[in-house]
Amino acid sequence: MEPIPLAELPGQAAHSRLAFANERQRPDEIAETLAALANAHGGVLMIGSGRGGQLASLRDPATATELALTAALSCTPPLIIPLPQVVSYQGMTLLAVEVPSGLPYVYAVNGRYLRREGDSNQPLSPAALHRLFSERAELGWERQVPPGASFAELDPDLITTYARRVGPPAGDDPMTLLTRRGCLIDNQPTNAGLLLFGRDVAVRFPQAEITLVRYRGREPDDVFERADICAPLPDAIRRAERWLNDHMRKGSRMIGLEREDWTQFPPAAVREALVNAVAHRDYAARGEGIRITLFSNRLEVYSPGRLPGHVTLDNIRAERFSRNPAIVQVLADLGLVERLGYGIDRMLRHLAAAGLPPATFHETAAGFLVILPGHPFAEELPGGIDTTAWRRMGLNDRQISALLFVVEQQRITNRDLQEMHPDVSPETIRRDLSDLVARGLLLKVGDKRATYYILK
């Protein structure tokens, strides 16, 4: 594995978030530092070799990786971390072990509770420990094994696909990987494991359903399109994203002779809202699922469960806290989540890049609501005409640009369309317009050089 620059790692700036260890240390010694970082604000543990307090390049990165993962698993509760990465640091090849910030549990090693303070691991006083437990008062629902759960409830194909995606750093045993990820305990699936890899998610978790609805106007009415998805979470995310991309308004508008394509909402912002809802909702709350509603001017994403831990509407952009670290880490392994807690920032950046106002956030009595604004011209004609129906008819880009031109200019000639597409032959332009006439979309007026076309 090629080393990566340390600058690419998160959280290395503050000294209290950067620790060092030797590959000769015992797993419980490594575990103490990992737990201490987790009980503070997260950080990175750099593992190297060397003697007498001197740090040197690793001799065996694979063995060091196994040491780090064993140490994380020996914490109580087991610490779920991203796969360690080989990095370059001051000319040395070291192993970087990231401990995410915002974890929902308090971690112990052999009954000792430590926290990283400065460059050392310090025992937590009884008062500080009580305060930390109060701040992180989560029940750990995703780690629980539901009554009667058996390994046979998991889909082996999903597990194999996941292990292949993680690759060699995960090792050759998918079961060990699932245990490290909090999806198995003594070969029994946890709630997280069943949500991520279950054969039939709806049987145990009907509340995991995602309901998608599209209304044509700004308010609910009797005419709508709907889909209900209840599947293993990675598949549910992909299916919901496809549905949203298919049903949000898309179109084009003419800026002079140039065509500008648009979508009702930035797809990347929609994806962040969807993934955040799936990754961070409260799955212990039964009776309702995630609801995503498309209106003509906005997208509403509602997820059960109020904001977790110390996160509030005021600090939501700055604070990191995950209700479901096991689920988040598996989704990150699959490339569906980039890093814990940064989805809000990315969502807002994508909206700003599209020239849209920021999303708004609301806590309800039992959940969390995100509202994304849409492009105003998605509701207007002719400039923001929805071309989705034309694309479904199989019209090509030239024909769509011709129709848009007619909508704006009331008429079009062969020469107009030829100027818009100078690299296309006159015969192809003629066939494009003739096809639009045959489809009943345009009406041909005049003859020979005086011919022009209008909307029928």
Side-chain angles (χ1 to χ4, degrees):
M1 182 187 299
E2 288 297 320
I4 60 175
L6 179 63
E8 294 182 9
L9 293 172
Q12 86 280 3
H15 190 60
S16 63
R17 298 188 64 194
L18 181 61
F20 297 89
N22 192 299
E23 61 183 342
R24 298 176 182 273
Q25 290 181 252
R26 301 191 311 272
D28 61 329
E29 293 175 319
I30 301 293
E32 287 185 353
T33 299
L34 296 177
L37 288 168
N39 289 336
H41 304 289
V44 177
L45 173 64
M46 308 291 288
I47 301 178
S49 65
R51 295 178 181 275
Q54 298 298 312
L55 193 65
S57 291
L58 281 173
R59 295 174 303 169
D60 187 349
T63 300
T65 298
E66 185 63 28
L67 170 66
L69 294 174
T70 300
L73 202 59
S74 68
C75 297
T76 305
L79 180 59
I80 299 171
I81 58 174
L83 290 173
Q85 299 291 311
V86 176
V87 302
S88 294
Y89 178 77
Q90 295 184 356
M92 296 175 288
T93 298
L94 305 180
L95 188 74
V97 186
E98 180 190 355
V99 178
S101 61
L103 294 172
Y105 310 116
V106 181
Y107 297 88
V109 178
N110 297 327
R112 299 180 67 215
Y113 292 92
L114 305 170
R115 181 164 58 191
R116 192 73 179 174
E117 295 181 4
D119 59 357
S120 63
N121 306 327
Q122 296 295 322
L124 280 161
S125 68
L129 182 60
H130 177 76
R131 186 163 56 251
L132 189 60
F133 268 111
S134 297
E135 292 172 355
R136 302 186 180 186
E138 296 290 313
L139 298 179
W141 180 89
E142 66 168 1
R143 290 180 181 270
Q144 298 172 13
V145 175
S150 71
F151 185 79
E153 293 182 63
L154 301 184
D155 187 327
D157 291 337
L158 295 180
I159 295 172
T160 299
T161 300
Y162 169 59
R164 286 175 178 168
R165 173 62 187 258
V166 173
D172 298 327
D173 184 4
M175 301 307 101
T176 299
L177 175 61
L178 292 190
T179 299
R180 288 169 171 166
R181 286 295 181 257
C183 296
L184 283 180
I185 294 178
D186 296 331
N187 213 38
Q188 289 181 291
T190 62
N191 287 324
L194 289 164
L195 278 168
L196 291 160
F197 303 105
R199 293 177 185 269
D200 192 345
V201 172
V203 169
R204 284 194 179 272
F205 309 116
Q207 73 269 29
E209 184 174 71
I210 303 174
T211 297
L212 305 122
V213 180
R214 181 200 182 195
Y215 295 105
R216 296 194 175 277
R218 293 188 170 199
E219 302 299 331
D221 57 39
D222 295 333
V223 179
F224 59 88
E225 296 175 82
R226 172 173 173 161
D228 298 295
I229 300 171
C230 196
L233 299 187
D235 183 47
I237 289 173
R238 297 184 186 103
R239 288 167 57 184
E241 185 178 15
R242 284 196 299 269
W243 192 94
L244 290 166
N245 284 334
D246 288 344
H247 287 80
M248 74 170 74
R249 296 185 178 187
K250 305 179 188 70
S252 305
R253 55 180 182 170
M254 299 304 296
I255 308 296
L257 293 178
E258 297 293 325
R259 192 183 82 187
E260 179 187 89
D261 295 326
W262 56 266
T263 56
Q264 188 177 5
F265 309 95
V270 172
R271 186 174 193 269
E272 294 295 347
L274 165 65
V275 170
N276 278 349
V278 172
H280 301 299
R281 66 150 289 179
D282 182 2
Y283 286 98
R286 305 182 72 88
E288 63 176 344
I290 293 169
R291 299 194 304 270
I292 304 179
T293 311
L294 272 168
F295 294 96
S296 62
N297 67 329
R298 68 192 186 280
L299 175 71
E300 296 187 357
V301 181
Y302 170 82
S303 55
R306 292 167 63 84
L307 290 169
H310 56 274
V311 179
T312 67
L313 292 175
D314 292 331
N315 67 18
I316 192 170
R317 293 194 65 175
E319 295 296 327
R320 306 285 178 256
F321 195 97
S322 175
R323 180 183 279 118
N324 307 308
I327 289 172
V328 168
Q329 187 56 59
V330 171
L331 295 179
D333 292 338
L334 291 169
L336 296 170
V337 176
E338 290 187 25
R339 277 187 60 197
L340 171 64
Y342 287 82
I344 297 295
D345 286 338
R346 288 192 297 269
M347 183 195 312
L348 295 175
R349 287 200 302 270
H350 291 310
L351 290 169
L356 291 170
T360 56
F361 309 100
H362 308 271
E363 273 199 297
T364 67
F368 183 62
L369 177 66
V370 179
I371 302 177
L372 274 63
H375 280 293
F377 51 74
E379 294 188 284
E380 302 167 356
L381 293 176
I385 189 167
D386 188 351
T387 61
T388 305
W390 293 341
R391 295 183 187 279
R392 288 175 180 171
M393 292 172 64
L395 299 188
N396 61 45
D397 286 345
R398 295 183 303 276
Q399 291 174 310
I400 289 174
S401 63
L403 291 172
L404 290 167
F405 189 91
V406 177
V407 168
E408 188 164 313
Q409 304 294 331
Q410 284 76 56
R411 57 191 289 173
I412 191 171
T413 65
N414 285 59
R415 183 175 180 178
D416 291 330
L417 192 56
Q418 184 73 62
E419 289 178 354
M420 293 162 62
H421 303 279
D423 297 331
V424 178
S425 71
E427 177 58 23
T428 299
I429 294 295
R430 186 195 66 77
R431 286 200 302 266
D432 285 339
L433 292 170
S434 296
D435 181 59
L436 293 174
V437 172
R439 290 174 181 266
L441 296 173
L442 290 183
L443 180 66
K444 182 178 179 181
V445 179
D447 192 21
K448 297 183 179 179
R449 292 189 176 182
T451 299
Y452 62 92
Y453 301 83
I454 62 173
L455 288 176
K456 187 171 182 179

